Amino acid sequence: IQKDFLFCPKCGKKIEKTFPESTQRNTSTSIFQTEQDLDSLLINQYNGFNDKKIVIPSSINGKPIIGIWNSVFEKCVDIEEVIFEEGCKYIGKNAFCGCQNLKKIRLPKSLIEIGDNAFSNCTSIEEISIPPNIKVIGKYAFSGCKNLRNIILPENLKYISDGMLSHTGITDIVIPQSV
């Protein structure tokens, strides 16, 4: 979602912008900028580009983090590991696209949507486990992850999107009966 949007295109609610906030669990130099969505926050900008490990907190200043907007970490080439605390439900389009050194991703069980191209061209990812509550995995979500060898899909997954695993290194995959 573009920064100049005043209303959420999904729900139509007004987006209130807040000032950058540092997380209590991340390094002091890592700063997240957030937007308010009802009683929750959405991360819309990250200004800690030298960090190798990023923890997406479950809350900032007592307000829960429910998602990451589009392109927040796009082309942050120093990132090697991303850990999501429980609570995040949405990862936006292109959120981690082009993070070439990203090797480890720990997604939360609370996650229900991964946007289009969210992890595309993250060429260092070798394996990923998709959480059980996921409802949507966007088009080309892991496209271009040429070293991705193993993906664990949840048993209740209903749909595999176009190009979700195109140009990856996957040779074997178990597709759940529910797809």
Side-chain angles (χ1 to χ4, degrees):
I1 295 195
Q2 298 176 11
K3 291 181 184 181
D4 57 345
F5 280 4
L6 297 177
F7 296 91
C8 176
K10 281 190 175 184
C11 66
K13 301 286 182 189
K14 184 173 181 176
I15 297 170
E16 296 179 30
K17 300 198 182 220
T18 59
F19 294 100
E21 315 234 5
S22 63
T23 67
Q24 298 161 356
R25 293 176 182 87
N26 215 339
T27 61
S28 59
T29 60
S30 299
I31 297 174
F32 293 106
Q33 183 173 328
T34 60
E35 294 178 4
Q36 187 151 345
D37 182 35
L38 301 175
D39 294 332
S40 305
L41 297 176
L42 299 158
I43 294 173
N44 70 349
Q45 190 173 341
Y46 176 70
N47 299 317
F49 295 104
N50 293 327
D51 291 339
K52 294 194 181 305
K53 179 179 178 180
I54 296 173
V55 175
I56 306 297
S58 59
S59 65
I60 293 177
N61 292 337
K63 292 190 177 188
I65 299 294
I66 61 163
I68 298 173
W69 284 123
N70 301 339
S71 305
V72 172
F73 299 95
E74 186 174 14
K75 297 180 183 175
C76 291
V77 294
D78 289 332
I79 298 172
E80 294 178 3
E81 182 176 6
V82 176
I83 297 171
F84 286 81
E85 293 182 352
E86 285 302 322
C88 185
K89 295 179 182 181
Y90 309 99
I91 298 175
K93 295 177 182 179
N94 301 309
F96 293 92
C97 177
C99 294
Q100 297 172 348
N101 291 314
L102 182 57
K103 296 175 189 156
K104 294 182 183 179
I105 305 164
R106 191 175 79 202
L107 298 172
K109 291 178 184 174
S110 56
L111 191 65
I112 59 174
E113 183 175 338
I114 297 173
D116 295 349
N117 296 298
F119 294 96
S120 65
N121 296 313
C122 292
T123 55
S124 296
I125 296 174
E126 294 180 7
E127 64 181 9
I128 190 157
S129 179
I130 305 298
N133 295 321
I134 201 82
K135 303 240 185 284
V136 176
I137 300 175
K139 293 179 181 181
Y140 304 99
F142 299 97
S143 175
C145 297
K146 64 183 180 183
N147 289 312
L148 181 59
R149 304 276 186 258
N150 186 24
I151 186 167
I152 299 171
L153 300 173
E155 287 299 318
N156 58 348
L157 185 65
K158 302 283 186 220
Y159 180 76
I160 293 178
S161 64
D162 293 342
M164 182 179 100
L165 298 170
S166 65
H167 304 291
T168 64
I170 292 180
T171 55
D172 292 319
I173 186 169
V174 176
I175 297 176
Q177 292 289 328
S178 58
V179 172

